[in-house]
Amino acid sequence: MSQPLYPSTRWAWVEIDLEAIRQNTAAFRRCIRRGVKMMCVVKADAYGHGAVRCAQVMRRSGADQFAVATVNEGVQLRNAGIQEPILLLSEPPIDSVRTLVDYDIMPSVYTQEFALALGECAASSGRVARYHLAVDTGMTRIGVNWKDALEFRRSIDFHRGLQCAGTFTHFATADVPGDWDFKAQSDHFAEAVRSIKEAGLECGLVHCDNTPATVLYPELDYDMARVGIGLYGLHPADCTRDHIDLVPAMSVRGRVTRVVEPEVGTGVGYGLTYRVPTPNIQIATVPIGYADGLARELSNRMDVLVNGQRCGQVGRICMDKFMFAMDVNPVRADRPVRPVRYGDTVTIMGADGDEYIGADDIARLRDTINYEVVCDFGLRLERVYV
Ligand SMILES: *Cc1c(COP(=O)(O)O)cnc(C)c1O
């Protein structure tokens, strides 16, 4: 590792490559047809990558709008000077309508009660609140059932404080090529949009594509695509890999805070689940733990990289620390080994020399998806932008 950048108060950090964010955003901009808008999804602090910094890069690389999951995430973007339209991908508590109007954040809407409260709030200050109609076409998560979309619109459209700026749905199986349920959802959405338009009502921007649908079904772009995970350089499924080149933006690193070479039989960590099996094994400590998103179920199963070498993590991962083992016996090594020293940089996720550990590798060990891996690393670790 050349000259690592790290925070001064803790030898543990997340590195975000903003050039990768820029490249990925530009790649999606090229993938989406001309005239179709790109909404960049920066919920959960941009999937752990830092919403404000990422949004600033994305807006310069082709983002037309942003999407968030909570009211506070939207407020954070506004306070940072983001001026593009912001969509909240859920219907928040009615108590938040004043904040939505004041900060010009468009909620997703699917209950009459919420819609009318929003309209009242806007009208009381001489404004019109823009919202997107969420349509449930088969995922059974949020939205008005697709069969009831027109009726719902008719029940709120009288309100002068409301304007429908968009109509959208979300797919449950866009990452499964040729999936029948995907086709059914897509048909239901088309039907709902058609019924609203035929009744002479304005749908606003019509959108349904997440990352996999944007890549696999370009014909479904409608007026806007909502891209999330791909912007961070990760694929939602193996089937999108052949269609678009992406650069992972997040690496996770720490530095060694202690190295010892214990006697054979010495135990390591809570429960002493690992015991030093032979002489010449270094046990090194890194100050990253499960409170930083390094899931405890990775204990004794994951590898880390140090000085371009792959080492096995040993013992249970603690809340704030973990240990790994470095075999420094030259007789057992297939190539010259470099012993670990205090202060060495350790890569938990990312590249070091010829070695690489990706979010997908960690997700596989944890039996989860790369989305959860990067969100978790956003929990507590300080971020360094490179
Ligand atoms: C999270 C989310 C997205 C983005 O999904 P990706 O798979 O990350 O592209 C799009 N739309 C909605 C409604 C979402 O909740």
Side-chain angles (χ1 to χ4, degrees), residues 47 51 221 243 292 321 335 372 377-378:
Y47 296 46
D221 280 346
H243 294 81
D292 299 301
K321 293 172 182 63
R335 59 176 173 176
E372 189 177 7
F377 284 132

Side-chain angles (χ1 to χ4, degrees), residues 228-250:
I229 194 77
L231 297 171
Y232 309 102
L234 302 176
H235 284 272
D238 282 334
C239 58
T240 59
R241 287 181 201 284
D242 292 339
H243 294 81
I244 190 164
D245 281 330
L246 300 173
V247 187
M250 181 188 284

Side-chain angles (χ1 to χ4, degrees), residues 41 43 47 89 141 168 170 209-212 226-230 236 371:
V41 181
K43 63 192 181 193
Y47 296 46
L89 295 169
R141 183 171 72 169
F168 77 101
H170 192 50
D209 283 0
N210 51 2
T211 298
R226 302 187 306 270
V227 187
I229 194 77
Y371 294 69

Side-chain angles (χ1 to χ4, degrees), residues 38-368:
M38 175 163 64
M39 171 176 271
C40 289
V41 181
V42 293
K43 63 192 181 193
D45 212 5
Y47 296 46
H49 293 65
V52 168
R53 294 295 295 268
C54 288
Q56 284 164 345
V57 171
M58 291 167 185
R59 71 198 296 210
R60 288 195 299 268
S61 319
D64 297 294
Q65 307 207 355
F66 292 101
V68 295
T70 69
V71 176
N72 287 346
E73 288 174 359
V75 169
Q76 186 196 21
L77 291 183
R78 285 285 180 250
N79 285 340
I82 299 291
Q83 286 168 1
E84 284 76 8
I86 296 175
L87 174 65
L88 181 61
L89 295 169
S90 58
E91 195 185 78
I94 286 182
D95 289 339
S96 67
V97 292
R98 183 81 254 163
T99 309
L100 296 175
V101 171
D102 287 350
Y103 284 86
D104 192 16
I105 297 165
M106 301 181 289
S108 301
V109 160
Y110 52 90
T111 70
Q112 204 183 11
E113 205 185 2
F114 177 85
L116 297 180
L118 178 70
E120 280 303 296
C121 177
S124 72
S125 48
R127 318 252 290 270
V128 174
R130 290 148 51 82
Y131 72 90
H132 286 219
L133 175 70
V135 183
D136 180 3
T137 56
M139 182 167 168
T140 321
R141 183 171 72 169
I142 64 161
V144 178
N145 187 284
W146 61 279
K147 291 176 189 160
D148 307 327
L150 173 59
E151 196 188 318
F152 178 79
R153 280 291 306 275
R154 284 195 165 126
S155 74
I156 61 170
D157 263 43
F158 69 89
H159 205 292
R160 66 194 165 91
L162 289 176
Q163 186 199 342
C164 181
T167 303
F168 77 101
T169 193
H170 192 50
F171 293 120
T173 59
D175 55 342
V176 183
D179 184 66
W180 188 88
D181 288 301
F182 174 84
K183 288 200 191 72
Q185 277 201 273
S186 168
D187 290 346
H188 295 162
F189 185 56
E191 175 63 24
V193 169
R194 192 187 54 77
S195 70
I196 295 169
K197 285 187 172 166
E198 277 182 3
L201 304 179
E202 188 54 58
C203 277
L205 294 172
V206 177
H207 52 108
C208 60
D209 283 0
N210 51 2
T211 298
T214 301
V215 174
L216 299 174
Y217 303 93
E219 69 280 7
L220 268 184
D221 280 346
Y222 287 100
D223 302 324
M224 185 158 72
R226 302 187 306 270
V227 187
I229 194 77
L231 297 171
Y232 309 102
L234 302 176
H235 284 272
D238 282 334
C239 58
T240 59
R241 287 181 201 284
D242 292 339
H243 294 81
I244 190 164
D245 281 330
L246 300 173
V247 187
M250 181 188 284
S251 303
V252 179
R253 302 191 208 276
R255 294 181 72 185
V256 171
T257 57
R258 180 178 188 253
V259 193
V260 290
E261 209 175 301
E263 284 172 26
V264 171
T266 306
V268 176
Y270 288 121
L272 307 178
T273 58
Y274 172 89
R275 285 184 189 273
V276 174
T278 60
N280 309 114
I281 303 274
Q282 293 182 304
I283 300 295
T285 305
V286 185
I288 297 183
Y290 58 77
D292 299 301
L294 191 67
R296 190 168 173 276
E297 66 257 30
L298 291 164
S299 296
N300 289 304
R301 303 177 63 207
M302 60 176 267
D303 289 340
V304 298
L305 309 177
V306 58
N307 301 318
Q309 308 165 103
R310 193 174 273 266
C311 301
Q313 187 278 326
V314 298
R316 289 209 180 117
I317 293 169
C318 312
M319 190 182 291
D320 321 294
K321 293 172 182 63
F322 72 84
M323 282 67 84
F324 69 90
M326 173 79 196
D327 189 340
V328 288
N329 188 326
V331 176
R332 287 192 293 266
D334 51 10
R335 59 176 173 176
V337 290
R338 190 170 146 196
V340 178
R341 283 169 317 200
Y342 177 87
D344 279 354
T345 296
V346 178
T347 298
I348 291 90
M349 187 170 86
D352 180 4
D354 297 334
E355 295 280 358
Y356 181 76
I357 295 171
D360 293 296
D361 299 316
I362 297 175
R364 208 169 301 118
L365 290 174
R366 285 182 57 183
D367 194 19
T368 183

